Amino acid sequence: MSGFSKYIGGISIRNKIFIANILIIVVFISTQSYFANTISQKALIEKEINNSSRELVLIKNNLQTLIATIEDYSKILASDYRLQNVLYNDLLLNSEFNASRPVEGLNNLSMKKTLSETISNIVEPNTKIKAVSILTSNRHWVDVGFADNAYASRIFGDDYGADDRFYQPTWTSLIKFGFLYEGEHNVIAVSKSVIHKDTGKMVGRVFLYVKEATIASIYEGENKGGEFYIVDSAGRIISSQNKAMLYRDFKEAVSITIPENGKDTAFTQGSGKNEMLIFTQRFEPLKWTIVSVIPMDDISSDRKQINQLMIGIGAACLLLALIVSFLLSGSITRPIFQLAKTMREIRTGKMQVRSTYQSKDEIGYLSEGFNNLMNRIEALMAENVEKQRTKAEIEFKLLQSQVKPHFLYNTVETIISLIKLGLGKQAIQAAQYMANFYKISLSKGNDIISIGEEMRLTESYLEIQQLRYVEYMTYTMEIDNEILTYSIPKLTLQPIVENAIYHGLKLKKEKGIIRITGKRSGNNVEIEIYDNGAGMHNNQSKAIMAGFSALDEAGGFGIRSVSNRIQMLYGERYGLQVESEFGVYTKIKIVLPLRHH
């Protein structure tokens, strides 16, 4: 071994480079076929996995939006004062006190007209809801639309059951339901209890029907040779491009077993022409699974042509590299060693040392670039600090760009829904709150506003959200007048309040509260946002503030962006403090310096 090392050591660098290139060529040629087949196939599969995963995420998001919209309509309908009054009057007319005198109740033409006007605003063609049924407290199905009450009675029965006191909307699996004048359709129904707002009594239940074709339209435009399925928690196919597959057991119909670990997965099954690439995406709100099945032949059909191209290009590049390395190895090695010597001296701490090699070739440029790099280290360090500041500003602008269009869209949708339901006064209030929110948020381009203005902006946001989520939330604001004239970065509270609603209160079944308090503490202003929502584990809150969590996890992006912006403006002493107990509460304290606006 020592003799071989001595022999290698006696060979010139130029010859070493040439010999090494010959060995590389031999190894490359011997393994080229393997790489052309396996690596190209792996790259194609990985590309398809990435593309299909993004498609499934998009489908999941669109499905989430559809489900949330339908649930919002069920809540709006269940809270409509006209519907509640009609159902409550029917309850009183048919109570035990009047049992000896049966009353027509909802069969009264004026009542049917009122219900029909209320429901017509939220069914086709205004929305994606096919029809609506109402079950009264006296177990009567109301015929005010296209839904066949005989089907409703047979499928759902005439009793409420144990779940009818729940405030949350309840979804069924896929069912066949009859509609007047149109016959049967495959639908999924969502039901919502109607609780009288004054008495707290359950006066009825509304049922909204969504056609399976409406759900299938979400993913039908994404098909690129494969098949999409939506499977319920029992393993039944509830949506598919092939309608003949509906209601069948997924495992028996497609011969694919979905992993039961509840996680999103991508795996292959089968062999040869029957090999399939399968993706699953869990839709947790309804315990559904979105499945994409793509034949492997569709993915690797161009693999042979790609392999041939890779082989030709690789051979040409290697031959060219061999010729160039033989000609230039001698001229390259000397300046490289000289530059390496300079680098070793710098590693010992001699930062003033520079390369003395000068030439117009590539090594000369490398030497010159190395010297320039050393000269710019101090400048780059200062530039890096500025970039960190700019990054914090960009994060805030990104947060603003996400909040305003999203908030505007949701508010306009709420106003439209209120107008459709005849709640003109509430719609005007919502519009006024929205105008106030945007007036303050614009602030003539100023990023720093008074705490009083920030509180009015936040109050406008909360009032609109309370119109949308009246069953989820209420709020209080207790701010000392002393601090209202002090300054605060604009849109500091809104991302935190939004996080409290969507990641806190909405995850609990009962109604929750958001409490905002503000006071002076020495030379600081302390504003506290408390909610009794879902809370977080200790490691989650630490990860959010440390920046290790995913951007959309528990609202981490908004909280961290607000904290970074405050610290950028006022220093490390200020920012956000997160305190939370899982399942109990979350409390976020904002610490700011006393500065007049």
Side-chain angles (χ1 to χ4, degrees):
M1 187 68 180
S2 59
F4 178 78
S5 300
K6 184 177 180 181
Y7 176 76
I8 294 297
I11 301 176
S12 66
I13 296 295
R14 177 178 179 178
N15 290 335
K16 286 180 181 178
I17 294 175
F18 183 73
I19 294 172
N21 285 335
I22 293 177
L23 293 177
I24 291 173
I25 292 172
V26 172
V27 172
F28 182 84
I29 292 175
S30 63
T31 59
Q32 192 175 38
S33 177
Y34 170 79
F35 287 134
N37 284 278
T38 60
I39 294 181
S40 62
Q41 183 180 15
K42 181 179 179 181
L44 289 171
I45 293 175
E46 289 179 351
K47 180 180 178 181
E48 185 62 35
I49 289 175
N50 292 332
N51 292 338
S52 297
S53 297
R54 286 193 293 269
E55 288 177 4
L56 286 186
V57 170
L58 180 60
I59 292 170
K60 177 182 176 181
N61 292 338
N62 291 338
L63 182 60
Q64 176 68 55
T65 299
L66 176 63
I67 295 300
T69 301
I70 300 302
E71 289 185 353
D72 286 346
Y73 276 119
S74 72
K75 296 171 188 174
I76 292 173
L77 182 59
S79 60
D80 185 86
Y81 74 95
R82 293 174 296 176
L83 176 67
Q84 289 191 358
N85 287 340
V86 170
L87 294 178
Y88 184 63
N89 290 336
D90 182 70
L91 173 66
L92 295 178
L93 289 172
N94 292 279
S95 63
E96 293 182 1
F97 179 77
N98 296 311
S100 61
R101 299 186 295 105
V103 180
E104 289 295 330
L106 291 170
N107 289 326
N108 182 282
L109 292 178
S110 64
M111 293 183 179
K112 292 183 67 175
K113 179 182 178 182
T114 300
L115 293 177
S116 180
E117 291 174 351
T118 303
I119 293 173
S120 63
N121 290 326
I122 66 169
V123 297
E124 291 181 346
N126 299 321
T127 69
K128 295 183 178 180
I129 300 169
K130 177 62 179 176
V132 176
S133 293
I134 299 176
L135 177 61
T136 72
S137 59
N138 296 299
R139 302 170 184 174
H140 296 150
W141 288 93
V142 183
D143 179 11
V144 291
F146 293 103
D148 191 326
N149 292 330
Y151 272 83
S153 178
R154 184 169 68 251
I155 294 173
F156 303 111
D158 299 326
D159 294 323
Y160 284 101
D163 296 334
D164 289 331
R165 298 298 295 183
F166 285 173
Y167 290 103
Q168 298 296 326
T170 303
W171 288 84
T172 69
S173 186
L174 186 66
I175 57 176
K176 281 190 178 297
F177 194 86
F179 297 93
L180 301 178
Y181 318 116
E182 294 187 14
E184 290 185 339
H185 283 282
N186 298 311
V187 302
I188 297 176
V190 58
S191 63
K192 177 73 174 66
S193 299
V194 181
I195 308 299
H196 195 269
K197 62 180 179 180
D198 294 328
T199 65
K201 291 184 178 181
M202 184 174 67
V203 295
R205 193 169 184 86
V206 296
F207 292 77
L208 284 65
Y209 307 103
V210 183
K211 293 193 295 185
E212 183 274 336
T214 299
I215 296 176
S217 65
I218 294 175
Y219 55 78
E220 283 177 344
E222 303 294 335
N223 187 19
K224 295 180 175 60
E227 293 286 342
F228 287 95
Y229 304 91
I230 298 180
V231 183
D232 64 11
S233 58
R236 287 196 316 156
I237 300 174
I238 60 173
S239 184
S240 172
Q241 294 152 295
N242 183 2
K243 305 308 177 186
M245 305 292 285
L246 298 179
Y247 300 101
R248 298 180 60 184
D249 182 88
F250 181 77
K251 182 178 180 181
E252 294 179 357
V254 190
S255 299
I256 294 175
T257 302
I258 300 177
E260 298 180 355
N261 56 10
K263 297 181 179 179
D264 301 335
T265 57
F267 59 95
T268 58
Q269 182 172 307
S271 59
K273 294 184 177 180
N274 296 322
E275 188 175 9
M276 312 290 288
L277 184 59
I278 301 153
F279 303 87
T280 67
Q281 183 84 25
R282 289 283 292 173
F283 185 68
E284 288 298 339
L286 300 181
K287 305 301 180 185
W288 292 351
T289 303
I290 307 170
V291 184
S292 172
V293 181
I294 304 174
M296 194 65 74
D297 286 345
D298 292 348
I299 301 174
S300 57
S301 59
D302 297 331
R303 186 180 62 186
K304 183 176 180 180
Q305 183 178 357
I306 294 175
N307 288 343
Q308 293 174 347
L309 181 62
M310 288 175 59
I311 292 173
I313 294 175
C317 290
L318 286 173
L319 180 60
L320 179 62
L322 179 62
I323 296 172
V324 172
S325 65
F326 178 79
L327 298 175
L328 298 181
S329 59
S331 61
I332 290 175
T333 53
R334 285 191 303 273
I336 285 179
F337 283 134
Q338 183 177 347
L339 187 58
K341 180 181 178 181
T342 303
M343 290 180 177
R344 285 194 296 270
E345 291 180 352
I346 291 175
R347 289 177 60 185
T348 62
K350 299 178 181 179
M351 302 300 294
Q352 296 78 19
V353 176
R354 297 292 183 268
S355 173
T356 59
Y357 180 80
Q358 295 182 351
S359 175
K360 294 183 179 180
D361 60 12
E362 290 79 5
I363 303 301
Y365 290 131
L366 180 61
S367 177
E368 182 182 355
F370 173 79
N371 290 336
N372 291 336
L373 178 64
M374 295 303 299
N375 292 334
R376 291 185 58 196
I377 285 179
E378 185 175 356
L380 288 176
M381 292 178 63
E383 184 180 341
N384 185 59
V385 173
E386 184 61 28
K387 284 183 178 179
Q388 293 299 319
R389 180 182 298 272
T390 303
K391 178 183 177 183
E393 247 342 280
I394 290 174
E395 285 186 350
F396 174 70
K397 297 300 182 183
L398 175 60
L399 182 63
Q400 282 185 307
S401 68
Q402 291 176 339
V403 168
K404 293 180 180 177
H406 176 73
F407 176 67
L408 175 62
Y409 171 80
N410 288 337
T411 305
V412 172
E413 284 291 322
T414 300
I415 293 172
I416 292 172
S417 299
L418 292 171
I419 293 173
K420 287 182 178 180
L421 294 174
L423 302 177
K425 182 177 181 181
Q426 290 86 337
I428 293 172
Q429 288 179 341
Q432 290 174 339
Y433 287 132
M434 181 179 70
N436 190 45
F437 176 89
Y438 278 94
K439 178 181 178 182
I440 299 175
S441 65
L442 291 175
S443 302
K444 298 180 180 179
N446 297 325
D447 286 338
I448 305 298
I449 61 177
S450 68
I451 292 177
E453 290 176 314
E454 179 73 6
M455 291 303 168
R456 291 196 299 273
L457 183 148
T458 305
E459 184 179 19
S460 297
Y461 175 82
L462 281 168
E463 286 292 338
I464 293 173
Q465 293 295 60
Q466 194 169 40
L467 286 174
R468 298 185 66 221
Y469 305 117
V470 64
E471 296 184 0
Y472 288 129
M473 62 164 284
T474 185
Y475 76 94
T476 63
M477 298 180 71
E478 300 175 6
I479 310 299
D480 291 349
N481 292 332
E482 179 185 5
I483 69 171
L484 293 179
T485 58
Y486 292 110
S487 64
I488 186 173
K490 183 173 62 181
L491 285 176
T492 294
L493 298 183
Q494 188 276 335
I496 301 173
V497 170
E498 182 181 24
N499 177 68
I501 295 172
Y502 288 98
H503 299 284
L505 301 184
K506 284 193 69 176
L507 301 181
K508 297 192 74 173
K509 293 182 179 179
E510 63 272 17
K511 190 172 186 178
I513 186 171
I514 295 176
R515 185 169 62 244
I516 303 176
T517 58
K519 63 180 181 179
R520 176 175 178 173
S521 178
N523 292 324
N524 296 333
V525 172
E526 292 183 358
I527 301 174
E528 187 177 281
I529 299 94
Y530 168 90
D531 72 87
N532 61 350
M536 294 181 287
H537 293 292
N538 188 46
N539 59 347
Q540 286 181 291
S541 59
K542 289 182 179 179
I544 287 174
M545 296 308 299
F548 296 134
S549 63
L551 291 181
D552 60 343
E553 178 182 330
F557 178 82
I559 295 175
R560 195 163 62 255
S561 177
V562 170
S563 183
N564 291 343
R565 185 165 177 256
I566 292 174
Q567 291 180 350
M568 179 193 71
L569 292 172
Y570 304 122
E572 297 292 330
R573 294 174 50 194
Y574 305 99
L576 270 59
Q577 300 173 11
V578 180
E579 178 184 334
S580 184
E581 182 176 348
F582 183 74
V584 181
Y585 76 96
T586 298
K587 181 166 60 179
I588 297 179
K589 181 187 292 185
I590 304 171
V591 182
L592 299 167
L594 285 176
R595 295 188 182 180
H596 281 287
H597 177 57

